[in-house]
Amino acid sequence: MIVDCAIYRDGRRAEGPQDLSDALGLCRLQDGAFVWIGLYEPTEDEFERVTRDFGLHPLAVEDALNAHQRPKLEVYDDSLFVVLKPVGYEPRSDVVTSGEVMVFIGDSFVVTVRHGEESPLSDVRTRLEHEPEMLRHGPTAVLYTIADAVVDHYLDVARELGTDLEELETEVFSPSAGGSRNTASRIYGFKRQVLEFRRATGPLAQPLAKLAGSGPAGARVPFVQGEAQPFFRDVSDHLTRVNESVEGLDRLVSDVLSAHLAQMSVRQNDDMRKISAWAAMAAVPTMVAGIYGMNFTHMPELDWVGSYPALIAALVVVEVLLYRLFKRRGWL
């Protein structure tokens, strides 16, 4: 559905024709005017009119309708198509959620398509409408502000993931909780969330580099003003920081998992040594009882009155000696 449709003239929202083609034609006759249409999960029928009036490329339209796209930038004859993936993070459930924002930019128009709940578009429109100096730069300002909002939120999510990872490290290396059965599953789950985050941030580096003029010979992207390149370069630098944080988180999660598995192996070895020590201590009286349990007529000390107490005392002495030996070696 169409969430908002407005004409902006000289950086301010203005009244205009309700018909999309008439509004676009009017904006193209006036310097500094453009149409901005925002849609939320449109159907094919809803998007058909926008496609026809604005001359959007059918391949880009198909991507915008189907969603589930990687962040990318595509240049067509009449428009520029950019896909961004805003993300959110719920610390209580340790879940990274992602949405999609598609931006079409052309001659005097911007079309934004949102999929999912994670989206900065409403805040971006409100912010720009309160900053007419920025909005005077037209569709380029809209694209920059959306990209800047998405990447800035990446930084917040990266910080929250880092905080949760520190808590997970503390749990792993805690003497009481490090061997919990749920710890390994939590680590694997956290690693999957980091991977989901990387799917949003990693592929975005190349489109932002192109917008920042870092492509071949610093080529300018069509429909984007050349003076905006330093601003996109700043967003690209922030994204680089995010990607470095994601790489660090991924390596650290792997290290935490390896440390947890190593701890579990050491604890299992300790348990096996304790079991072996107690089994060795139990073997001595079991062996003696087994020998004297055999029904032979001629066995030593059967007729001596003190043989039973002496045997018990000998077993106690042997058990004490074995216990002290295993205790000294750290087996008990």
Side-chain angles (χ1 to χ4, degrees), residues 147-148 150-152 154-155 158 197-198 200-210 212 214 231-249 251:
D148 185 55
V150 170
V151 174
D152 281 349
Y154 286 167
L155 290 170
F197 190 30
R198 174 184 280 180
T201 64
L204 186 57
Q206 186 176 4
L208 281 181
K210 291 181 179 179
S214 301
F231 295 91
F232 284 110
R233 195 174 301 125
D234 180 67
V235 178
S236 181
D237 290 341
H238 290 174
L239 181 65
T240 299
R241 286 173 50 196
V242 172
N243 284 328
E244 289 174 352
S245 298
V246 173
E247 290 291 337
L249 287 171
R251 288 195 299 268

Side-chain angles (χ1 to χ4, degrees), residues 34-265:
F34 68 96
V35 182
W36 182 359
I37 298 177
L39 301 101
Y40 174 68
E41 297 184 357
T43 64
E44 186 173 351
D45 293 336
E46 291 173 338
F47 207 40
E48 183 180 0
R49 181 185 173 189
V50 178
T51 303
R52 182 180 65 253
D53 292 341
F54 290 86
L56 304 181
H57 196 280
L59 292 178
V61 170
E62 181 181 358
D63 290 342
L65 289 173
N66 296 332
H68 305 295
Q69 304 296 318
R70 298 172 73 250
K72 63 180 181 178
L73 182 151
E74 299 286 349
V75 179
Y76 299 103
D77 294 336
D78 299 323
S79 63
L80 178 71
F81 179 59
V82 180
V83 178
L84 304 122
K85 291 182 73 69
V87 300
Y89 182 60
E90 177 52 53
R92 294 183 180 179
S93 57
D94 295 338
V95 174
V96 173
T97 57
S98 63
E100 289 185 40
V101 173
M102 288 82 165
V103 185
F104 294 86
I105 289 181
D107 182 13
S108 301
F109 73 84
V110 178
V111 177
T112 54
V113 182
R114 175 168 65 93
H115 290 269
E117 296 301 323
E118 299 298 334
S119 172
L121 291 182
S122 59
D123 294 337
V124 166
R125 190 184 286 264
T126 303
R127 170 186 166 187
L128 284 174
E129 289 181 352
H130 286 83
E131 297 180 7
E133 290 297 327
M134 173 73 76
L135 199 53
R136 282 192 179 96
H137 295 280
T140 300
V142 177
L143 177 60
Y144 160 73
T145 309
I146 293 174
D148 185 55
V150 170
V151 174
D152 281 349
H153 194 58
Y154 286 167
L155 290 170
D156 296 335
V157 172
R159 280 192 292 268
E160 292 176 355
L161 284 171
T163 300
D164 282 2
L165 182 56
E166 290 177 0
E167 296 176 358
L168 190 58
E169 282 183 288
T170 302
E171 178 181 338
V172 167
F173 292 104
S174 171
S176 58
S180 173
R181 295 180 179 179
N182 295 327
T183 303
S185 62
R186 282 195 61 196
I187 297 173
Y188 274 114
F190 192 88
K191 192 173 181 65
R192 288 185 64 86
Q193 302 312 311
V194 173
L195 178 61
E196 181 69 21
F197 190 30
R198 174 184 280 180
R199 288 173 179 166
T201 64
L204 186 57
Q206 186 176 4
L208 281 181
K210 291 181 179 179
L211 291 170
S214 301
R220 185 172 67 87
V221 176
F223 307 106
V224 175
Q225 297 175 5
E227 57 268 24
Q229 288 183 348
F231 295 91
F232 284 110
R233 195 174 301 125
D234 180 67
V235 178
S236 181
D237 290 341
H238 290 174
L239 181 65
T240 299
R241 286 173 50 196
V242 172
N243 284 328
E244 289 174 352
S245 298
V246 173
E247 290 291 337
L249 287 171
D250 187 59
R251 288 195 299 268
L252 195 53
V253 172
S254 298
D255 292 341
V256 169
L257 179 60
S258 299
H260 173 68
L261 295 178
Q263 278 187 327
M264 295 296 293
S265 178

